[in-house]
Structures are given as structure tokens and as C-alpha cells.
Amino acid sequence: MSEIAVGFIGLGNMGAPMAHRLLDWPGGLVVCDTRPDAVEPFTGAGADRAGSAAELGERCGVVSVAVLDDAQVRAVVTGPDGILRTAQPGTVIAVHSTISDDTAVAVAAECAEHGVEFVDAPVSGGAPAAKHGALAVMVGGSESAFAAVRAPFERWASLVVHAGAVGAGTRMKLARNLLHFIAFTAASEAQRLAEAAGLDITELGKVVRHSDAHTGGPGSIMLRDTTAPVAADDFWFPILSHVRDLGEKDLSLALALGSRLGVELPLAARAFGELGTGLGVGPGAVAKKEQQ
């Protein structure tokens, strides 16, 4: 599989560092971007240039696509000068853009009509992880397609996950980013509380980044394979009950501080009421007392 040529379309902030790690791919790298200045560093380093998605698709067995949105994905893959116009049966097209899962499924169906495999393979970790070859990639596609893309993906990703059938990669990315941006909203709430208390919120940020680097942040409780309630004799029950009890105590203290300072903390209030249930162990003594 390493002898096939790999193509990369879209050499932006994410695509460029990903493609850079494929420059020494044994089968060769072919790149395509509408901006000549984005292509030049790659051709100067030994990659071949394709003038269009169709030209690239004709030459490559695996094609990575890192463009902006659903419309650009459709244009690059199924458009009049898109990859499908020339791709040979057995080619695998991988889209790294975060698009709709419905788009992924629909484009995959069009690819299948040409004997071409499609995977939705969004990435997580941002430009810093891309630069260091440490991205996480969530792949939705068949077993055969996953096998075809795994080796090139491992050049720029340190975690390659087969999420399931086409669309599953995108759904996993959406769930991951749901947590990401809700956490940003929670961070804003924490900053309001800290600012009202006269604290330096930049120092608070240092503490959050430092401690999350050691504890793992929200991901540290994402270890079970189900969200069902935890039985009292389950291994996880005492662990998650301890997390709940600590959380309810600290949230109640933060809510009390917010009340004294006149700062509304709607996310904290919701977390206080739902933490135990979300963890699968039910509300603890502190929450039950508040509910009475």
C-alpha cells in the first residue's frame, strides 16, 4: 500500500503541515491548491503539482481533502473538474474538513457509483498538533478503506480511530467539539466569577491549563462504554460517586460565592443539579439536600 501515490488537496493552516509529513511518502506526494504560493514549498521539496482535483485524482490511490466547508468538498469531489471525474475504482477519498454527516453519506454514495471509497476523517488537535504530527483523526468508512488510509494518516496523526461506517467520523468530531465549545462557555462563566471576586483571570487561566495537563480535563471521566446508570456493585460506582461528591461540594461553594457577588452562574447551577445523574450514580447528599 505504501507504493501508491498520495494526493493532498487544500494546503491551508491545517492541510499544509499534514501534507508536509507526507513529502517522503514512498509512493510520492501530489498536491493541489488554488494558491500557487501554497504549492511552491511542496514542489520545491519534491512533491508533484496537480493543476486540478481531477488531475490529482487520476494519479493517486489515496486522496486527502482539507478544504473549508460542505460546498467546497462537493466541488472538489463531485464537481465537473472533481476527483470522481478521473479517479480509478479502488481509490479512497478522505475528507478532513468538518462537514455535515449527511453530506458525508451523500458524497460517499456518489463515490460508490464510481467504485471509489469515501471516508469522512475529521481531525482534532488544531494547528499545533498538525505541526507536530500529533493530530487525532476519526475515520468513518469501510474496513477496507480504513486499512488503505491508516499508513498515510499515521504520518501526521498520533491517534487514528476507526469510528464506524461513513458519517461516524463526523459524528464523533461533532460530539468532541460539543464538549470543546461548551467548555469554552463554562470557562467564560468561571472568568466572570473570578473577575467579580477581584482575581487575575490570566493567572486563573495558567492554573486551568496546568491542572488540565495533569488531570486530563473532561476526558478523564470518559472511560465507560455506556452512559447507563452505574450499578452499586460496579467497579466504577465508588470512583464516580467520589467525583460527584467533590463536584457537588465545589459547585455549591462556587454558587454561594456567585450569589454573594451578584454573578449569575447558569451553567454551574445546571451542573450542580445534573452532575451525579450525568456520571451515572445519581445525585449526592449535597444536591439532594438542596432539592428538598
Side-chain angles (χ1 to χ4, degrees), residues 1-8 19 21-31 42 45-49 56 59-63 152 155:
M1 195 66 203
S2 63
E3 296 305 315
I4 66 166
V6 171
F8 212 105
R21 292 184 166 269
L22 292 163
L23 279 168
D24 61 349
W25 179 254
L29 173 67
V30 184
V31 295
F42 289 89
D48 290 335
R49 175 186 179 275
L56 185 145
R59 299 168 61 184
C60 301
V62 170
V63 180
R155 292 294 185 100

Side-chain angles (χ1 to χ4, degrees), residues 29-235:
L29 173 67
V30 184
V31 295
C32 180
D33 194 284
T34 56
R35 300 162 299 145
D37 60 316
V39 174
E40 286 172 5
F42 289 89
T43 54
D48 290 335
R49 175 186 179 275
S52 67
E55 180 187 339
L56 185 145
E58 185 177 21
R59 299 168 61 184
C60 301
V62 170
V63 180
S64 279
V65 177
V67 294
L68 183 62
D69 54 24
D70 296 52
Q72 289 189 4
V73 166
R74 287 185 177 277
V76 164
V77 177
T78 66
D81 205 18
I83 302 165
L84 283 186
R85 191 167 70 80
T86 57
Q88 297 298 310
T91 300
V92 182
I93 299 172
V95 170
H96 305 301
S97 317
T98 301
I99 57 175
S100 163
D101 59 325
D102 288 338
T103 297
V105 172
V107 173
E110 292 188 58
C111 288
E113 293 175 0
H114 295 260
V116 170
E117 295 239 47
F118 177 94
V119 300
D120 53 312
V123 298
S124 185
K131 181 179 179 180
H132 293 97
L135 288 166
V137 55
M138 298 147 278
V139 183
S142 69
E143 293 285 352
S144 60
F146 181 69
V149 300
R150 183 161 195 164
F153 284 9
E154 286 178 342
R155 292 294 185 100
W156 45 258
S158 57
L159 179 63
V160 182
V161 173
H162 190 190
V166 171
T170 298
R171 293 169 194 134
M172 185 174 285
K173 174 65 183 290
L174 294 178
R176 192 273 169 270
N177 277 10
L178 177 144
L179 173 61
H180 188 64
F181 291 111
I182 287 177
F184 279 10
T185 309
S188 300
E189 186 166 291
Q191 288 181 112
R192 290 199 303 273
L193 176 64
E195 190 172 54
L199 304 175
D200 184 334
I201 62 175
T202 62
E203 292 300 310
L204 171 63
K206 292 177 184 177
V207 172
V208 170
R209 290 187 293 275
H210 178 86
S211 56
D212 278 1
H214 292 281
T215 67
S220 64
I221 63 101
M222 302 176 75
L223 299 170
R224 298 172 64 224
D225 60 2
T226 176
T227 60
V230 183
D233 60 353
D234 190 288
F235 166 82

